[in-house]
Amino acid sequence: MIEIIKTDITKLEVDAIVNAANQSLLGGGGVDGAIHKAAGKSLLEECKKIGGCPTGEARITGAYNLPAKHVIHTVGPVYKDGKRGEAALLKSAYLSSLKLATLNGIESLAFPNISTGVYAYPLREAAIIAITTVKDYMQKNELPSKVYFVCFNKANFYLYNQLI
Ligand code: AR6
C-alpha cells in the first residue's frame, strides 16, 4: 500500500524514515539537516561510527528523539546531465533502502523525494523512478507493507498524485 502525503518527514510515527544524506553521513541541509536537528546529537554520534556510505547504498541507525523508530540513510546521485548513471544510482538508493527495511522487519517506511533538492534531479524523472521501484519491490516482498512518499513541496505532491 502506497500513500502520498505532504508533510515534514521528521513528524512521522513510522517504523523508519529515509534520509536523503550525503556520502559522509555527517548531516547537511535540506531533509538531512531537519532529521539531524530533530533526532538530536546521538544520531550524529552513531553516524560517525558508520564511516560514510557510497552513492546508491543505504545504512540504518536509531532515530533517537524522532517519533520514528529508525532512520535509513541513503545517498542519491548529484544530477549533472543524466548521462553519468544518475538514473541507476537513484533507483539503487530506493532499492537499498527497501532491502534494509525488509531485513530489519520494517512495516511502515517513509521516503522523501531523494536527490530532488540540493542534488537537482529533475522532479518528474525522479518521481517515475521512485514510484516504479517501490511498486515493483512491494509486489515481490511482504515488507515494507506500507510506504509513504513524503512530498515537502507542492510541485512534487502534485506530480506524485498525477503519476500514481
Ligand atoms: N521533510 C520532508 N521532505 C523535506 C524536508 C522535510 N523536513 N526538508 C526538505 N525536504 P534535499 P537531496 C525535501 O536537498 O537533493 C543535504 O545537504 C526537499 O523539498 O534535502 O537528496 C544532504 O546532506 C526535496 O524535495 O536532498 C546532501 O548533501 C527533498 O526533500 C544533499 O542535501 C530532497 O531535498 C542531498 O540532496
Side-chain angles (χ1 to χ4, degrees):
M1 219 187 127
I2 292 177
E3 206 174 313
I4 302 156
I5 50 177
K6 189 172 176 296
T7 189
D8 176 349
I9 204 167
T10 65
K11 309 286 186 219
L12 294 180
E13 279 182 55
V14 288
D15 290 339
I17 61 171
V18 175
N19 181 17
N22 58 61
Q23 290 184 353
S24 77
L25 297 187
L26 300 180
V31 71
D32 193 9
I35 287 172
H36 274 273
K37 192 176 170 206
K41 280 188 182 154
S42 306
L43 177 60
L44 182 60
E45 292 310 312
E46 188 176 353
C47 284
K48 277 183 190 165
K49 288 182 197 149
I50 296 172
C53 176
T55 303
E57 293 189 19
R59 303 288 184 264
I60 190 166
T61 66
Y64 303 95
N65 297 335
L66 290 163
K69 295 187 189 127
H70 304 273
V71 180
I72 292 176
H73 307 260
T74 191
V75 184
V78 176
Y79 190 89
K80 299 234 170 65
D81 54 10
K83 295 173 188 161
R84 294 158 204 247
E86 291 98 327
L89 287 168
L90 186 61
K91 186 182 172 74
S92 173
Y94 278 95
L95 212 46
S96 305
S97 303
L98 289 160
K99 284 180 186 166
L100 262 189
T102 307
L103 278 174
N104 287 277
I106 282 160
E107 292 180 9
S108 54
L109 179 67
F111 279 104
N113 307 130
I114 301 167
S115 282
T116 64
V118 175
Y119 284 179
Y121 211 105
L123 299 189
R124 190 178 171 83
E125 288 170 38
I128 291 169
I129 290 169
I131 293 167
T132 53
T133 306
V134 168
K135 265 193 179 172
D136 182 58
Y137 189 88
M138 289 179 86
Q139 271 165 12
K140 295 173 184 157
N141 297 273
E142 269 177 38
L143 291 179
S145 50
K146 174 96 193 187
V147 169
Y148 295 92
F149 284 119
V150 181
C151 301
F152 200 54
N153 54 46
K154 267 190 200 164
N156 268 318
F157 186 67
Y158 179 78
L159 195 56
Y160 272 76
N161 277 294
Q162 204 186 31
L163 289 169
I164 243 166

